Amino acid sequence: MSSTPALRPRVVVIGAGIVGCSLADELTARGWTDVTVLEQGPLPAPGGSTSHAPGLVFQTSPSRTLAAFARYTVEKFSSLQVDGVSCFDQVGGLELATTPERLAELHRRAGYATAWGIRGEIVGADRCKELWPLIDRSVVLGGFHTPDDGLARAVLAARAQLDRATGRGARFLDRHTVTGIEQAEGRVTAVVTDRGTFPADHVVSAAGFWGPVIGRMAGIDVPLQPLAHQYARTRPLPDLAGAEAEASKPILRFQDRDLYFREHHDRIGIGSYAHRPLPVDPFAVLPYDAARARGMEMPSSYPFTEEDWAPSWEDCRRLLPALRATEIEEGFNGVFSFTPDGMPVLGESRQLRGFWLAEAVWVTHSAGVAKAVAEWMVDGRASVDLHECDLTRFEDAQRSPAYVRERGSQQFVEVYDVLHPLQPMEHPRPLRVSPFHARQERLGAYFLEGGGWERPHWYEANAPLVESLGPLPERDAWSARHWSPVVAAEARATRERVALYDMTPLRRLEVTGAGALSFLQRMTSNNLRKKPGAVTYTLLLDESGGVRSDLTVARLAPDRFQVGANSPADLDRLLRYAPRDVHIRDITSGTCCIGVWGPLARDLVQPLTRDDFSHEGFGYFRAKETYIGHVPVTAMRLSYVGELGWELYTTADLGLRLWDTLWEAGRAHGVIAAGRSAFNSLRLEKGYRSWGTDMTDEHDPYEAGLGFAVRMDKDGFVGQDALQGLAARTPARRLTALLLDDPAAVVLGKEPVHVDGTPAGYVTSAAYGYTLGRCVAYAWLPALPAGTGVHVDYFGEKIPATVCDEPLFDPEMNRIRR
């Protein structure tokens, strides 16, 4: 067997549920016709989650990627039929609000819909009653109606795609239980079943809640937790007597009580997330025949737990009084998949090349996921940003079975909760802490969580500084969550004096070896061929010129570099392409970093070192290995807040000594500890981008405002060919700086932006700029001249804003370069 895929790759897909069938259809449509789909159960309903799925497809999501998946699913399934029966009923969707908080949340969701190009509108209680006559009008405050949502006939849609893929050459084999994955030289070679072995160049695990089982056979960790979810059907309702259509009313969600409803002719189907989490061990799920022998309808259908149902049944009858005249006829607990962050797990393993995951995918997103994975496999990239779904996104600390179970169960609990964008998880915490954590707690740090790290967002010790600020604009209840006026004081102190920022959670890689320079030159867009001591901001691009990440690369020695990266995906990509004479090591956990920033930063640091920290002796974007007091540090003159200063790196064991040394020396200069919220405000005033939020691989460097980090005259870097000629064009869209006109207005991100009354883009990052006295927002918009007026839709209110040239603060860079 060759160690590389053949020209006509042999693909084996494990699982013939909705994802496996969709993927076979998408692959064969792209010319990869040697596709074998293996299924342990009988077709067309093999007994996984697809076989019992209620089929709800709601397109609106806070995630732009999930919304894109769902939109494609609606589009595709609407075009499919089997024996004259449509695979999708476009009955629409209706989300109800019975509390003011939920009604506000529906306005926010309507904003998402507008931002992502989904039709939807907020409607009053009377219109809700028209759409669903069975509801009690008196308990409803309003609703969110999405006319293009609806019900997928999941088994039928799987069958339709199975037929199309078969017509192009694919084969589907049921009653084949996978027992092993063969591999050689780090690449998958075959799938072993109880009925034979199937050679493969690519294997895709689309096994649903059996994903961890298949993953273990391949030696690949699949961070997925199956849980059981209650679904019940009523007896016939007189109010629905004579119904000819399977469903005619919108799918209904009563999220204030974690419930949803759909019609089944003259019955109502009800799903509940209100009950306690019911985790399922994927390694203990019975095979199809064994499950049937035990009286189960299918392996994914567990016995109904009556004790969990009673409170939900009362809530159902309160909302739909007609249910008081009937009872539950049948119910079951259906098993499906959750991940620690609620997103799918997609992509190819680096440890076992050719082994792909398409897991934790609901029917709602199935066709969209299949399209993206097929594009990724055939073309090398998907047409939609997938970083939220990438299998590499979890930190090692987030992959333990205990963590996956706990966080997966919490995702079940939170399915219909009103979640703030900054809302941290509650457990397990604290998980990862910097060496400064004890000092931060003593200063009253307000911690939020990211990547498992405890991250201070502000410090209550700075509360006395608020009095000197004068009145601050009042915030609405939503934007005031996980915020404090202390943030304004910390931002001001950074601009006027000096502050210490804990930058430890930022990822650090060490790249060494004889080929390190040439490797990094090939992988990134800027010129790194500089003398040791140089620091360079550069981009990690894909072959199509999309921004996969932005990096800060410090050349510390001829063959040694320190790379500031964003996510585990950056490490994974570099490791995939690294030649044998290049060694890459993640040093994040063994090191720490303090940002010392502000006009008095030099006054604080210089007395602590014998090295010259003057502007002439230590220029901007330079690095030195030196000592601060007794502590060896790598000092880099960088600033992501727009002020003079340094990032100081040392080993984790010396971190506390470094903090204490800086703190003691800084007392004479009014030093404070400042948090992530002030950092975000200051970096937006300066126009610094945040990868994954402001730009992704859907954007090229020029439209993202990062053309300065591209050197087209250097030899052969990834994405270079795709960028030819782009610098000279006028981009059709740009990442655009906005200032809200009203000094009291605040937006948070993901809001739609209207130009001339028409939705034209969406906000990426936003924060109040305390130096500017206005909220700063960055948004993807058509190319617009500075001074153009736009409107940002915040909870249904159109807030005026103005397009501005950037950077908004200190455009001459005087404060940093001094």
Side-chain angles (χ1 to χ4, degrees), residues 80-129:
L80 298 177
Q81 290 188 349
V82 175
D83 299 329
V85 179
S86 173
C87 294
F88 191 76
D89 275 347
Q90 203 158 47
V91 293
L94 179 63
E95 303 177 44
L96 297 179
T98 60
T99 65
E101 182 186 33
R102 180 66 62 178
L103 187 59
E105 168 70 358
L106 294 188
H107 278 282
R108 190 165 71 106
R109 289 181 59 76
Y112 293 147
T114 301
W116 313 147
I118 298 165
R119 288 203 302 157
E121 64 173 342
I122 299 296
V123 297
D126 290 339
R127 177 60 176 153
C128 293
K129 179 73 172 177

Side-chain angles (χ1 to χ4, degrees), residues 58 67 91 98 276 287 319 466 473 475 518-519 569 689 726 740 800:
F58 279 94
V91 293
T98 60
R276 62 194 165 94
L319 180 69
V466 175
R475 290 203 167 206
S518 59
F519 169 67
R689 277 66 167 144
L726 294 188
L740 272 56

Side-chain angles (χ1 to χ4, degrees), residues 508-512 516 520 528 530-536 552-563 587 618 622-626 633-637 647 649:
R508 293 171 291 285
L509 310 177
E510 182 182 71
V511 182
T512 58
L520 290 172
L528 308 180
K530 302 172 183 177
K531 293 179 180 179
V535 182
T536 306
T552 302
V553 181
R555 191 176 191 185
L556 302 178
D559 296 336
R560 180 164 62 93
F561 297 80
Q562 181 171 310
V563 178
I587 60 172
F618 197 156
R622 299 291 299 171
K624 284 185 181 182
E625 292 182 294
T626 183
V633 301
T634 299
M636 298 186 197
R637 191 170 166 197
E647 293 179 357
Y649 299 88

Side-chain angles (χ1 to χ4, degrees), residues 411-755:
Q411 287 294 328
F412 179 93
V413 171
E414 294 175 352
V415 162
Y416 284 164
D417 286 1
V418 178
L419 299 176
H420 192 275
L422 293 176
Q423 183 167 323
M425 65 180 188
E426 296 180 3
H427 305 285
R429 289 180 65 192
L431 185 61
R432 306 176 78 187
V433 298
S434 79
F436 326 127
H437 188 256
R439 299 293 186 265
Q440 293 165 343
E441 285 189 311
R442 201 175 296 171
L443 293 170
Y446 183 87
F447 291 103
L448 297 179
E449 183 272 343
W453 287 101
E454 294 297 315
R455 301 186 181 203
H457 274 242
W458 69 83
Y459 296 85
E460 286 300 326
N462 297 322
L465 302 177
V466 175
E467 296 178 8
S468 64
L469 296 177
L472 293 172
E474 286 194 19
R475 290 203 167 206
D476 64 279
W478 186 252
S479 66
R481 291 191 192 182
H482 307 297
W483 174 86
S484 166
V486 173
V487 175
E490 292 179 0
R492 180 173 176 178
T494 306
R495 291 277 189 242
E496 295 182 352
R497 300 193 305 277
V498 62
L500 305 184
Y501 287 82
D502 181 1
M503 307 303 290
T504 300
L506 300 185
R507 183 167 304 278
R508 293 171 291 285
L509 310 177
E510 182 182 71
V511 182
T512 58
L517 175 60
S518 59
F519 169 67
L520 290 172
Q521 280 283 81
R522 179 169 60 87
M523 294 299 296
T524 71
S525 63
N526 212 335
N527 183 22
L528 308 180
R529 197 173 295 280
K530 302 172 183 177
K531 293 179 180 179
V535 182
T536 306
Y537 177 81
T538 187
L539 305 175
L540 197 64
L541 305 178
D542 65 20
E543 288 74 8
S544 299
V547 181
R548 287 186 64 98
S549 188
D550 60 344
L551 310 175
T552 302
V553 181
R555 191 176 191 185
L556 302 178
D559 296 336
R560 180 164 62 93
F561 297 80
Q562 181 171 310
V563 178
N566 285 295
S567 75
D570 296 344
L571 173 62
D572 183 84
R573 183 166 176 83
L574 293 175
L575 286 171
R576 283 176 188 267
Y577 291 95
R580 292 185 178 180
D581 61 349
V582 174
H583 308 283
I584 304 172
R585 188 165 63 99
D586 189 331
I587 60 172
T588 310
S589 297
T591 57
C592 58
C593 178
I594 300 175
V596 184
W597 291 314
L600 301 182
R602 184 175 287 117
D603 297 332
L604 191 163
V605 174
Q606 183 62 82
L608 300 174
T609 179
R610 292 184 177 181
D611 278 307
D612 184 0
F613 270 56
S614 70
H615 182 63
E616 294 74 21
F618 197 156
Y620 189 52
F621 265 77
R622 299 291 299 171
K624 284 185 181 182
E625 292 182 294
T626 183
Y627 288 87
I628 298 294
H630 297 92
V631 180
V633 301
T634 299
M636 298 186 197
R637 191 170 166 197
L638 307 175
S639 174
Y640 289 97
V641 299
E643 296 293 336
L644 171 69
W646 288 265
E647 293 179 357
L648 303 176
Y649 299 88
T650 192
T651 52
D653 59 323
L654 291 168
L656 197 58
R657 183 61 177 261
L658 177 61
W659 178 281
D660 288 346
T661 299
L662 293 168
W663 187 259
E664 184 61 30
R667 291 171 63 182
H669 305 289
V671 72
I672 66 161
R676 192 75 183 174
S677 293
F679 175 91
N680 199 44
S681 169
L682 297 170
R683 71 102 181 163
L684 280 172
E685 289 184 328
K686 194 61 182 168
Y688 294 139
R689 277 66 167 144
S690 173
W691 184 84
T693 302
D694 295 318
M695 72 281 187
T696 68
D697 62 5
E698 290 187 20
H699 310 110
D700 71 55
Y702 302 105
E703 58 191 6
L706 299 174
F708 65 89
V710 177
R711 291 293 178 267
M712 292 297 290
D713 57 351
K714 82 169 187 174
D715 293 335
F717 62 87
V718 175
Q720 185 175 28
D721 291 344
L723 298 183
Q724 293 293 340
L726 294 188
R729 57 143 203 200
T730 299
R733 60 178 180 177
R734 282 198 181 104
L735 186 60
T736 304
L738 304 176
L739 271 179
L740 272 56
D741 294 351
D742 182 354
V746 174
V747 299
L748 300 181
K750 298 189 177 183
E751 296 87 359
V753 181
H754 298 252
V755 178

Side-chain angles (χ1 to χ4, degrees), residues 154-444:
V155 173
L156 211 61
R159 158 102 184 272
Q161 294 176 100
L162 180 156
D163 290 344
R164 296 205 316 187
T166 301
R168 301 188 192 108
R171 57 177 176 166
F172 288 75
L173 304 176
D174 63 2
R175 301 292 190 174
H176 281 64
T177 299
V178 174
T179 58
I181 307 293
E182 292 187 349
Q183 52 186 288
E185 299 179 358
R187 185 163 194 96
V188 70
T189 59
V191 176
V192 182
T193 75
D194 58 350
R195 297 175 66 179
T197 297
F198 297 84
D201 302 303
H202 295 274
V203 173
V204 185
S205 177
F209 55 77
W210 281 291
V213 179
I214 301 301
R216 179 176 291 181
M217 295 179 192
I220 304 301
D221 177 32
V222 181
L224 176 162
Q225 176 61 55
L227 286 107
H229 161 61
Q230 287 199 313
Y231 191 79
R233 294 192 196 195
T234 68
R235 297 183 184 279
L237 267 71
D239 299 76
L240 300 179
E244 296 183 2
E246 181 182 352
S248 60
K249 301 175 184 62
I251 43 180
L252 183 69
R253 291 206 280 189
F254 183 21
Q255 289 138 306
D256 288 325
R257 289 295 181 269
D258 296 312
L259 294 164
Y260 63 82
F261 305 84
R262 58 153 295 179
E263 297 166 284
H264 293 279
H265 295 286
D266 60 353
R267 294 163 168 80
I268 298 290
I270 307 166
S272 172
Y273 293 101
H275 57 84
R276 62 194 165 94
L278 300 168
V280 172
D281 180 358
F283 294 91
V285 177
L286 296 173
Y288 187 91
D289 291 329
R292 298 283 287 181
R294 294 246 188 126
M296 299 168 63
E297 183 178 349
M298 62 185 78
S300 60
S301 178
Y302 279 43
F304 196 61
T305 49
E306 294 282 355
E307 65 274 17
D308 293 308
W309 179 251
S312 291
W313 186 229
E314 289 305 310
D315 290 328
C316 293
R317 290 175 157 186
R318 180 169 66 91
L319 180 69
L320 305 175
L323 296 182
R324 296 168 188 165
T326 189
E327 296 295 334
I328 295 301
E329 184 174 65
E330 59 180 350
F332 65 95
N333 289 358
V335 181
F336 64 136
S337 303
F338 286 80
T339 59
D341 60 2
M343 299 293 288
V345 181
L346 312 177
E348 182 190 23
S349 166
R350 176 175 51 82
Q351 291 81 3
L352 182 58
R353 301 294 180 91
F355 184 82
W356 296 75
L357 296 179
E359 297 291 7
V361 182
W362 295 4
V363 171
T364 303
H365 310 115
S366 55
V369 163
K371 177 188 177 189
V373 173
E375 290 173 335
W376 201 349
M377 295 176 70
V378 175
D379 304 326
R381 74 186 301 271
S383 56
V384 63
D385 165 49
L386 297 180
H387 84 273
E388 293 177 308
C389 310
D390 195 300
L391 62 86
T392 65
R393 70 187 182 271
F394 296 111
E395 304 284 349
D396 289 344
Q398 298 174 304
R399 305 186 75 97
S400 70
Y403 185 96
V404 173
R405 179 185 175 95
E406 188 168 353
R407 289 304 304 156
S409 297
Q410 187 61 26
Q411 287 294 328
F412 179 93
V413 171
E414 294 175 352
V415 162
Y416 284 164
D417 286 1
V418 178
L419 299 176
H420 192 275
L422 293 176
Q423 183 167 323
M425 65 180 188
E426 296 180 3
H427 305 285
R429 289 180 65 192
L431 185 61
R432 306 176 78 187
V433 298
S434 79
F436 326 127
H437 188 256
R439 299 293 186 265
Q440 293 165 343
E441 285 189 311
R442 201 175 296 171
L443 293 170

